[in-house]
Amino acid sequence: MRTLSDIAEEYEFLEGDERYRLLIELGRELEAMPDALKTDATLVRGCSAQVWVYPTGKADTLHFLADSNAAITKGIVALVIAAVQDRPAHEVAAMDVAGALEPFDLKNQLSSNRTQGVPNMIALVREHAARIAAG
């Protein structure tokens, strides 16, 4: 998976539809999430599309699997995951993920329908991290 800074660097030079294409590409690059993990417990509430996020790994290296049934939304969740992937759980729990995503200006680049679930994605990732960090 690409780093968030690498993605931001590429995103900065793109416009309009090219940015959508990059998000779709990022979604396609997500590590496959087994269907068995796509449950009510891993479902992100408040998204216009279905989004699932599942933590794996240990407290020192938290790894997330994620998926969505919508291409652009899957790319957005890929951005969220890129911000936190393979970091210690305590760091993710305290991280300003929304701040890390600010260079992408998602609220102005995408419709509110596509971005309404982003805070919920971030909250779920941070909740998982806090629970794992607490042991």
Side-chain angles (χ1 to χ4, degrees):
M1 177 171 223
R2 304 181 213 186
T3 66
L4 193 61
S5 61
D6 287 344
I7 297 167
E9 193 173 298
E10 183 175 351
Y11 192 84
E12 180 183 332
F13 292 102
L14 301 176
E15 293 183 13
D17 287 348
E18 294 171 327
R19 288 182 170 181
Y20 279 109
R21 281 192 283 280
L22 176 61
L23 287 173
I24 291 168
E25 184 180 320
L26 292 172
R28 288 183 182 139
E29 291 173 3
L30 273 175
E31 185 176 345
M33 182 177 188
D35 288 340
L37 297 177
K38 296 175 188 174
T39 66
D40 196 52
T42 62
L43 185 67
V44 178
R45 308 276 182 243
C47 293
S48 59
Q50 290 183 300
V51 176
W52 301 271
V53 175
Y54 183 80
T56 65
K58 307 231 185 246
D60 61 336
T61 309
L62 195 55
H63 189 82
F64 288 93
L65 298 176
D67 200 0
S68 176
N69 65 341
I72 297 288
T73 305
K74 190 171 179 176
I76 294 168
V77 76
L79 282 178
V80 172
I81 298 305
V84 300
Q85 196 70 292
D86 299 327
R87 294 178 182 260
H90 72 276
E91 187 179 309
V92 172
M95 186 177 179
D96 178 8
V97 179
L101 297 178
E102 282 179 5
F104 298 94
D105 193 25
L106 294 175
K107 287 187 179 185
N108 291 318
Q109 299 296 323
L110 304 170
S111 68
S112 62
N113 190 35
R114 288 203 168 108
T115 59
Q116 69 186 8
V118 173
N120 298 355
M121 290 178 206
I122 292 169
L124 185 62
V125 164
R126 292 185 67 216
E127 287 167 17
H128 283 316
R131 182 177 39 78
I132 292 168

